[in-house]
């Protein structure tokens, strides 16, 4: 199996149709009359996915350069059973098609196209033909494997339906064992740059490029896979990526590098001409980076000067978080992350987290007569964040994915007027509420005016695309509230735990049934957190237990003050990739301690 390096493609889902006249032409290019020469024609057409929560477009400026394809004589062949062939593409009167290649000649017979991916000149994947078995197969008319009948004396043109490539979604395309994204960086060097603008005196994450040479005079340049980092907007603030590039094993050689700061439309600074920094790269320095924390060469352009940050200088601030090295307990904090007095991410700052309640009774009308429950709901929605979601005025409540409390079997306990007081409380704070009933794969975009999303007792797992959509929402300061229940009533806590795991959280649901009926928790059960500010004794009615991770926060414990019933889980907003195909409805959990409770009631009675 061969991997090819790519960059992240647009998160688009417009189909492109590799097409032609589907005809047979007289004449054979090959010298062998028993051999048939194939051509794959390319005509790009738009395709809208059925779930139109947002409109996406493929990269309009993308230029195909070549295709990697693989075919076999057996329909059920595995990836290891055939070789991949690289064939260049050419624009023929507005239609892309493969050039003549001896690799596309084969004897007459029946073949099966198993693999088809289109790359640009930078080895970036543009489009991929989905295979049967992947969740994207239904987006095209003819998913792979595609049957090809080769008849002697013909020159067939083959149609191949392809989709815009979504990075790290190999399994959705039906390629579970092929990684389109792997970049061989076994001997890599990574650089991050901060730049101080002389006019404002402020420090910024920098946009920069790097040139590498084999000689100190910098005349013999080394070609590297990528030489410029990436700037993205994380909410209202620009974020710069670390730049990593592959190098050969240097042995005793020394390479010479120059980093030059560049201007960017999303950055407020104006780089001065000649703002560059030269340094040497040896194999020893490459090896040292592999064990260093953070694992990159951090270069700081001070105002009026260019220096390299010394992590051993107690007064320096090498991760630029306004906490000196002598105090900083988290020296590798990513740029732009709000930190506490010890230089670690402030895990009480809203956003990049999930609020977990394992009791729907908290929000039912008869429980919302408790003013402390009302205050809890108010605190949930009136938080302030630095992200772009701060000004949102919409709350989404998702009762889909087979939510048991929204079904007849669950007595409609979270709908049909049972949450009216809670909903009125939210609306009185200036929010509107939108109810949705999501299905697997349907959460692909979240409107910009949404600030909070309630996910209520889902019984169907979330897809990779949905997880990444929710991660992006959280990264922008959006709040996700997951509402579960005790494990006899909500028998799919494995869905909850899989969701938390995929979101990068450590907190998880351990099941059980605690404080059933209607229990007023003592104020001593509360823990300090902005969500609990001003909240006294909370009224609950049967909950399962959660186990927080080291960076998670408990909101309140049970009446014995020994088991956590609600908490805030810090998540990893890095897009998820490489996850196995969604499992659909998860297996039910064993109910080993609730035999005396009514499984049709959220309170247990």
């Amino acid at each position: 199996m061969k991997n090819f390096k790519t960059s992240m493609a647009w998160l688009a889902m417009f189909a492109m149709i590799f097409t032609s006249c589907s005809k047979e032409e007289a004449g054979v290019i090959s010298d062998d009359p028993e051999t048939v020469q194939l051509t794959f024609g390319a005509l790009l057409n738009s395709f809208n996915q059925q779930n139109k929560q947002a409109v996406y477009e493929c990269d309009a400026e993308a230029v195909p350069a070549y295709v990697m394809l693989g075919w076999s004589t057996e329909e059920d062949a595995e990836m290891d059973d055939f070789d991949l062939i690289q064939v260049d593409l050419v624009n023929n009167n507005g239609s892309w098609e493969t050039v003549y290649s001896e690799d596309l000649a084969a004897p007459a017979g029946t073949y099966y196209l198993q693999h088809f991916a289109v790359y640009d000149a930078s080895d970036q994947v543009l489009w991929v033909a989905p295979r049967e078995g992947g969740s994207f197969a239904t987006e095209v008319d003819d998913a792979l494997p595609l049957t090809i009948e080769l008849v002697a004396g013909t020159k067939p043109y083959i149609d191949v339906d392809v989709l815009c490539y979504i990075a790290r979604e190999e399994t959705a395309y039906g390629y579970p064992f092929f990684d389109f994204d792997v970049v061989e960086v076994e001997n890599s060097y990574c650089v991050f740059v901060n730049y101080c603008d002389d006019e404002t005196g402020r420090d910024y994450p920098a946009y920069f490029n790097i040139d590498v040479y084999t000689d100190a005079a910098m005349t013999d340049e080394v070609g590297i896979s990528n030489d410029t980092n990436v700037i993205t907007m994380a909410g209202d603030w620009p974020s710069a990526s670390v730049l990593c590039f592959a190098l050969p094993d240097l042995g005793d050689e020394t390479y010479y590098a120059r980093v030059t700061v560049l201007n960017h439309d999303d950055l407020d600074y104006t780089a001065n001409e000649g703002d560059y920094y030269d340094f040497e790269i040896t194999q020893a320095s490459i090896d040292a980076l592999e064990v260093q924390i953070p694992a990159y060469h951090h270069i700081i352009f001070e105002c009026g000067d260019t220096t390299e940050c010394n992590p051993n200088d107690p007064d320096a601030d090498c991760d630029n978080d306004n906490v000196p090295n002598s105090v900083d307990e988290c020296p590798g904090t990513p740029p732009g992350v709000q930190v506490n007095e010890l230089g670690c991410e402030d895990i009480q700052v809203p956003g990049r987290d999930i609020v977990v309640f394992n009791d729907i009774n908290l929000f039912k009308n008869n429980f919302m007569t408790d003013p402390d429950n009302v205050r809890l709901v108010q605190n949930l929605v009136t938080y302030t964040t630095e992200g772009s979601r701060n000004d949102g005025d919409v709350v989404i409540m998702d009762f889909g994915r087979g939510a048991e409390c929204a079904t007849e079997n669950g007595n409609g306990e979270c709908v049909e007027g049972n949450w009216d007081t809670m909903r009125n409380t939210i609306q009185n704070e200036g929010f509107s509420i939108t109810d949705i009933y999501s299905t697997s794969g349907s959460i692909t975009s979240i409107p910009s005016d949404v600030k909070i999303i309630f996910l209520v007792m889902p019984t169907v797992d979330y897809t990779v695309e949905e997880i990444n959509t929710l991660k992006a929402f959280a990264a922008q300061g959006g709040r996700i509230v997951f509402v579960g229940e005790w494990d006899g009533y909500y028998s799919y806590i494995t869905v909850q735990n899989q969701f938390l795991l995929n979101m990068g959280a450590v907190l998880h649901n351990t099941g059980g049934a605690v404080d059933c009926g209607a229990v007023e928790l003592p104020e001593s059960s509360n823990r300090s957190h902005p969500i609990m500010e001003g909240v006294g004794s909370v009224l609950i009615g049967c909950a399962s237990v959660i186990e927080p991770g080291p960076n998670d926060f408990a909101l309140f414990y049970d009446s014995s003050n020994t088991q956590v019933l609600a908490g805030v889980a810090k998540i990893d907003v890095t897009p998820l990739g490489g996850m196995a195909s969604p499992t659909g409805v998860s297996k039910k959990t064993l109910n080993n301690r609730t035999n005396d409770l009514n499984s049709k009631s959220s309170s247990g009675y």
Side-chain angles (χ1 to χ4, degrees):
M1 181 182 73
K2 187 175 182 180
N3 292 327
F4 296 86
K5 58 180 181 295
T6 72
S7 300
M8 187 71 75
W10 290 91
L11 293 182
M13 198 54 200
F14 272 56
M16 302 297 166
I17 310 300
F18 268 53
T19 186
S20 71
C21 300
S22 297
K23 63 183 179 181
E24 297 181 350
E25 297 180 354
V28 180
I29 296 178
S30 172
D31 293 334
D32 183 356
E34 299 301 322
T35 300
V36 184
Q37 176 69 41
L38 283 158
T39 299
F40 292 91
L43 176 64
L44 307 183
N45 296 309
S46 295
F47 173 86
N48 294 315
Q49 54 180 330
Q50 295 178 356
N51 180 11
K52 297 181 182 177
Q53 291 197 11
V55 176
Y56 296 114
E57 292 184 355
C58 286
D59 184 359
E61 298 181 358
V63 178
Y66 64 90
V67 61
M68 297 299 307
L69 60 89
W71 55 359
S72 65
T73 56
E74 300 293 334
E75 186 173 10
D76 57 353
E78 301 291 340
M79 287 293 297
D80 292 336
D81 295 336
F82 55 86
D83 294 326
L84 294 182
I85 304 167
Q86 178 174 334
V87 183
D88 290 339
L89 296 170
V90 63
N91 191 335
N92 186 3
N93 297 321
S95 176
W96 293 96
E97 62 182 42
T98 53
V99 301
Y100 168 76
S101 170
E102 293 184 358
D103 290 328
L104 293 184
T110 302
Y111 298 85
Y112 301 92
L113 184 64
Q114 302 283 2
H115 181 107
F116 198 92
V118 180
Y119 294 73
D120 66 11
S122 299
D123 300 321
Q124 174 176 315
V125 180
L126 300 179
W127 311 305
V128 174
R131 292 169 50 88
E132 292 291 349
S135 59
F136 289 165
T138 57
E139 300 286 353
V140 298
D141 291 333
D142 295 304
L144 303 187
L146 187 64
T147 303
I148 303 173
E149 296 287 352
L150 297 187
V151 180
T154 64
K155 180 192 172 186
Y157 283 72
I158 306 300
D159 299 342
V160 182
D161 294 347
V162 299
L163 302 175
C164 290
Y165 177 58
I166 301 175
R168 312 310 268 162
E169 288 273 20
E170 290 80 15
T171 56
Y173 293 96
Y175 295 82
F177 306 112
F178 191 90
D179 189 346
F180 296 98
D181 285 326
V182 171
V183 180
E184 297 297 336
V185 286
E186 294 181 359
N187 204 56
S188 65
Y189 199 90
C190 299
V191 177
F192 184 80
V193 177
N194 283 110
Y195 183 78
C196 182
D197 183 40
D198 288 328
E199 294 185 5
T200 64
R202 292 185 57 190
D203 197 58
Y204 299 89
Y207 180 51
F208 63 93
N209 80 306
I210 188 165
D211 298 304
V212 181
Y213 304 86
T214 59
D215 61 318
M218 294 187 173
T219 58
D220 186 10
E221 186 170 0
V222 176
I224 57 178
S225 55
N226 51 316
D227 59 5
T228 306
N229 72 325
V230 176
I231 300 295
T232 56
M233 294 300 294
D236 296 327
W237 305 101
S239 174
S241 70
V242 174
L243 174 62
C244 296
F245 51 93
L247 292 172
D249 191 317
L250 299 188
D252 296 330
E253 294 185 61
T254 298
Y255 278 15
Y256 303 85
R258 170 168 292 179
V259 165
T260 305
V261 177
L262 306 174
N263 293 316
H264 192 282
D265 291 342
D266 291 330
L267 296 172
D268 292 333
Y269 69 74
T270 300
N272 296 319
E273 289 188 16
D275 272 347
Y276 60 85
Y277 176 72
D278 294 342
F279 61 96
E280 297 179 357
I281 302 176
T282 64
Q283 190 58 47
S285 64
I286 294 174
D287 295 340
L289 279 186
E290 293 183 357
V291 296
Q292 176 181 306
I293 301 176
Y296 54 77
H297 185 162
H298 191 182
I299 299 170
I300 299 177
F301 284 75
E302 300 284 4
C303 286
D305 191 16
T306 303
T307 59
E308 181 179 358
C309 187
N310 180 5
N312 297 317
D313 181 354
D315 297 323
D317 177 17
C318 287
D319 58 0
N320 195 39
D321 60 0
N322 296 317
V323 178
N325 292 346
S326 59
V327 178
D328 201 334
E329 294 184 1
C330 300
T333 306
V337 171
Q338 187 168 343
V339 299
N340 58 23
E341 65 276 5
L342 297 178
C344 300
E345 182 175 355
D346 190 342
I347 56 180
Q348 292 203 41
V349 174
R352 296 164 61 90
D353 56 23
I354 299 172
V355 184
V356 178
F357 297 102
N358 283 331
D359 177 30
I360 65 171
N361 293 286
L362 276 167
F363 307 123
K364 290 172 66 174
N365 293 341
N366 54 336
F367 285 71
M368 287 291 292
T369 58
D370 187 326
D372 291 308
N373 288 42
V374 172
R375 180 60 185 268
L376 178 65
V377 171
Q378 291 171 332
N379 290 347
L380 270 179
V381 298
T382 58
Y383 69 94
T384 300
T385 178
E386 295 185 354
S388 61
R389 298 284 174 173
N390 186 61
D391 297 328
D393 58 1
V394 176
V395 174
I396 285 180
M397 292 193 177
D398 185 4
F399 299 108
R401 315 179 90 88
E404 296 184 42
C405 66
T407 65
E408 183 178 350
N409 291 335
N411 300 318
E413 292 193 63
C414 56
V415 291
E416 296 180 3
N418 285 319
W419 279 16
D420 281 353
T421 304
M422 177 260 212
R423 295 166 70 95
N424 290 336
T425 299
I426 293 174
Q427 291 168 335
N428 289 339
E429 296 299 329
F431 292 88
S432 62
I433 298 176
T434 300
D435 292 340
I436 67 171
Y437 295 85
S438 73
T439 57
S440 179
S442 66
I443 302 176
T444 58
S445 68
I446 299 171
S448 60
D449 56 356
V450 175
K451 188 176 183 180
I452 304 103
I453 297 176
F454 283 79
L455 306 177
V456 184
M457 291 181 61
T459 65
V460 177
D461 286 321
Y462 294 80
T463 66
V464 172
E465 184 179 6
E466 290 178 306
I467 292 293
N468 289 338
T469 298
L470 291 166
K471 280 175 178 267
F473 172 75
Q476 296 161 353
R479 171 163 280 171
I480 301 171
V481 182
F482 194 106
V483 185
E485 256 298 338
W486 66 281
D487 63 9
Y489 181 72
Y490 179 41
S491 51
Y492 294 91
I493 64 172
T494 50
V495 171
Q496 178 180 6
N497 285 334
Q498 183 65 46
F499 172 77
L500 292 169
L501 179 65
N502 291 341
M503 293 293 289
V506 179
L507 180 148
H508 59 281
N509 188 340
T510 61
V514 178
D515 289 334
C516 297
V519 177
E520 186 172 350
L521 299 178
E523 191 170 348
S524 59
S525 291
N526 296 347
R527 295 300 185 265
S528 177
H529 190 278
I531 293 175
M532 301 304 295
E533 184 177 353
V535 177
S537 54
V538 177
L539 186 62
I540 71 163
C542 211
S544 55
V545 179
I546 61 175
E547 183 71 29
N551 291 327
D552 299 333
F553 264 79
L555 295 179
F556 56 78
Y557 279 62
D558 68 335
S559 56
S560 68
N561 211 2
T562 60
Q563 301 178 101
V564 182
L565 303 185
V568 180
K570 213 65 187 177
I571 68 173
D572 181 1
V573 298
T574 305
L576 182 68
M579 190 184 76
S581 298
T583 57
V585 177
S586 297
K587 295 180 180 178
K588 294 188 176 184
T589 59
L590 294 176
N591 182 3
N592 56 7
R593 47 182 301 193
T594 57
N595 293 331
D596 56 338
L597 296 175
N598 178 9
S599 63
K600 301 298 183 182
S601 170
S602 61
S603 68
Y605 295 99

